[in-house]
Amino acid sequence: MCTKVTQRASVKEIQKKYKASLPPEEASKPDTPNYNANGYDHPQLVVIQNEHGRSVEKMQWGLMPNWKRPLEEMLTLAKGNLNARSDTIFEKPSFKDSILHCRCIIPVEGFFEYQDRGKAGKQPFFIFPKGMDTFNFCGIYAHYYSAETKETIRSFAIVTTDANEMMAEIHNKKLRMPLIIAEDQIDAWLNPNATREEIEKLMVPYPSDLMKGYEVSQDLAKMGNVSKAIEEVRKNPDLFGEQGTMDFI
């Protein structure tokens, strides 16, 4: 599972970096730096989609397919739709239409995962890109129309895949990680005409040597959306090399 991410850049900064258009209604929305965005709170994050050319907009984290069900029921469903597994995404009713027709990119500066240390409890890590400013998370999105509120809710899920070497050390029980792609693969992921076979070729673990990670506070879950959440804490030279930082070279 990937349920906590960092996305501090503004929508205009993301628009510029990804050379995307910015609809006026999106430009007018307030920007909130997300240091510790918790998917279970359904935050609004900036995503890049390609319905009519590459464009940025904010969407709710927690995918809600356009089913004719009450809003309360769909919001409950969304809590289980923060992630979409790459190995079942083409068959799951919630995801199978979106993976073929509605794919997006979620740019993040990093994300959090927990390492199970048995009796010592679970240690959260902050994982971030080496030598780059963002990861390109692969996602899918959907439009849900609520008959009760007469509004359309646009929402997304982060696609996950098998853990690479580094993530298998950190996320050592689930052995999963977000699906991350390189800059030169973004067009292929967003291509509305991509076939299932072309999409599946992109669903491979991101290289460990392009990632780094360090321990953060065990109180991460209690902190909320504050900058302290991404601060490195306890140094432990016996874990993963110098200063407790995981760095696969």
Side-chain angles (χ1 to χ4, degrees):
M1 292 283 287
C2 175
T3 61
K4 293 177 179 289
V5 304
T6 297
Q7 188 189 71
R8 292 171 290 176
S10 69
V11 66
K12 290 183 178 179
E13 289 171 332
I14 293 173
Q15 173 213 5
K16 182 177 180 181
K17 172 180 168 57
Y18 287 86
K19 298 180 174 59
S21 64
L22 178 61
E25 62 272 19
E26 296 297 324
S28 64
K29 292 179 180 178
D31 277 317
T32 302
N34 284 293
Y35 299 95
N36 179 22
N38 186 338
Y40 291 107
D41 294 333
H42 302 309
Q44 295 281 320
L45 297 181
V46 181
V47 308
I48 297 104
Q49 49 88 353
N50 192 35
E51 285 181 25
H52 305 289
R54 191 182 289 194
S55 177
V56 297
E57 65 177 283
K58 289 189 176 181
M59 294 188 189
Q60 169 193 288
W61 188 1
L63 188 134
M64 296 162 54
N66 193 26
W67 295 346
K68 297 185 185 303
R69 297 184 185 179
L71 178 58
E72 183 177 354
E73 182 178 339
M74 296 303 292
L75 287 170
T76 299
L77 178 70
K79 290 190 182 299
N81 284 352
L82 302 182
N83 296 160
R85 290 178 62 104
S86 60
D87 52 348
T88 58
I89 198 169
F90 289 96
E91 285 73 44
K92 289 276 188 178
S94 292
F95 307 140
K96 62 182 183 180
D97 289 335
S98 290
I99 185 58
L100 289 173
H101 306 294
C102 298
R103 294 179 303 281
C104 61
I105 294 292
I106 306 99
V108 302
E109 288 95 352
F111 64 103
F112 301 89
E113 286 295 2
Y114 287 80
Q115 182 184 60
D116 191 315
R117 293 183 175 173
K119 293 181 180 180
K122 293 184 178 181
Q123 174 60 50
F125 278 77
F126 179 64
I127 301 105
F128 55 99
K130 186 189 297 184
M132 297 173 287
D133 54 359
T134 56
F135 283 132
N136 302 306
F137 277 10
C138 291
I140 56 175
Y141 66 95
H143 307 164
Y144 165 75
Y145 177 74
S146 169
E148 300 144 281
T149 65
K150 310 301 182 185
E151 67 173 333
T152 297
I153 300 174
R154 294 167 71 85
S155 58
F156 72 91
I158 293 171
V159 180
T160 65
T161 187
D162 296 329
N164 61 23
E165 183 184 6
M166 175 177 166
M167 290 307 301
E169 289 283 351
I170 295 179
H171 207 31
N172 55 342
K173 290 296 184 180
K174 298 289 186 179
L175 300 179
R176 303 290 297 173
M177 67 178 289
L179 178 60
I180 305 170
I181 57 175
E183 298 283 336
D184 60 4
Q185 296 175 307
I186 292 176
D187 284 340
W189 181 258
L190 295 179
N191 177 11
N193 300 313
T195 64
R196 173 171 175 168
E197 291 72 23
E198 291 170 333
I199 297 167
E200 287 177 327
K201 286 180 180 178
L202 297 169
M203 291 179 166
V204 296
Y206 195 65
S208 288
D209 60 2
L210 297 180
M211 306 172 72
K212 296 185 72 171
Y214 56 70
E215 298 175 24
V216 295
S217 172
Q218 288 188 312
D219 290 330
L220 177 67
K222 303 175 185 177
M223 285 185 173
N225 187 31
V226 295
S227 60
K228 190 176 180 181
I230 63 174
E231 291 180 4
E232 185 174 3
V233 292
R234 175 167 48 88
K235 306 292 190 290
N236 190 337
D238 295 327
L239 286 170
F240 317 122
E242 184 180 358
Q243 296 187 335
T245 297
M246 296 194 69
D247 186 358
F248 279 70
I249 301 173

